[in-house]
Amino acid sequence: MTAANYQPRDTKDALRHLQTLVNQYYRAPLTADLLAYNQKQITYLQENVIPYAQQVEHNLQRQQEAQLMMQELQRWQVLRLQGHNVAGKMRHFRFQAATVTKYRTPKPKRQSLPHYHTGPRH
């Protein structure tokens, strides 16, 4: 099944699919086609997903998630038009900064209490 004829089961499925698509293009070079595609995603959220969550599913949380995602995509578009890049990726329907992986390093072994020797060493 291609992305062009993808039919989501519910609004959560639609939001997850859109999030996957956004994570594929949000760092791409800015072109008129990319802006048009992003605007198409915003319109899809506004005209299809939000009303469906509101009127059919009666799911306020899903409606708020879709509105949040729509606002994030609008903000992304404004930032990119201003020449800024968005760091990180879309997760939980909002852009989150890239987290730096912190590796645990082993602690140095402590020496036991000093050994006191009586007499000369041989």
Side-chain angles (χ1 to χ4, degrees):
M1 180 175 281
T2 62
N5 61 8
Y6 177 75
Q7 292 295 317
R9 292 182 306 261
D10 56 5
T11 53
K12 186 174 186 176
D13 193 32
L15 289 173
R16 284 182 177 167
H17 183 69
L18 276 176
Q19 179 173 279
T20 303
L21 293 174
V22 169
N23 281 331
Q24 291 175 1
Y25 76 76
Y26 81 100
R27 297 185 110 189
L30 196 60
T31 62
D33 290 339
L34 183 63
L35 288 174
Y37 185 74
N38 188 61
Q39 191 60 45
K40 181 180 171 186
Q41 304 298 2
I42 292 170
T43 304
Y44 175 72
L45 284 168
Q46 190 172 20
E47 294 178 359
N48 295 352
V49 177
I50 294 172
Y52 191 85
Q54 195 174 37
Q55 297 164 3
V56 177
E57 292 181 347
H58 304 290
N59 191 332
L60 181 62
Q61 179 184 0
R62 204 67 49 70
Q63 175 192 351
Q64 290 171 345
E65 288 171 345
Q67 287 174 338
L68 176 69
M69 187 174 192
M70 185 181 71
Q71 291 168 357
E72 287 288 318
L73 290 177
Q74 289 169 339
R75 188 176 69 89
W76 173 86
Q77 188 168 323
V78 169
L79 286 173
R80 289 299 305 267
L81 286 170
Q82 291 174 350
H84 302 291
N85 285 329
V86 178
K89 66 179 187 174
M90 185 166 271
R91 189 166 177 253
H92 301 295
F93 317 121
R94 66 176 12 180
F95 284 107
Q96 293 184 344
T99 57
V100 178
T101 305
K102 293 182 181 179
Y103 295 100
R104 296 183 116 198
T105 56
K107 293 181 181 178
K109 294 185 178 182
R110 293 184 185 180
Q111 298 295 327
S112 59
L113 295 175
H115 297 287
Y116 295 102
H117 299 280
T118 57
R121 285 186 140 177
H122 296 288

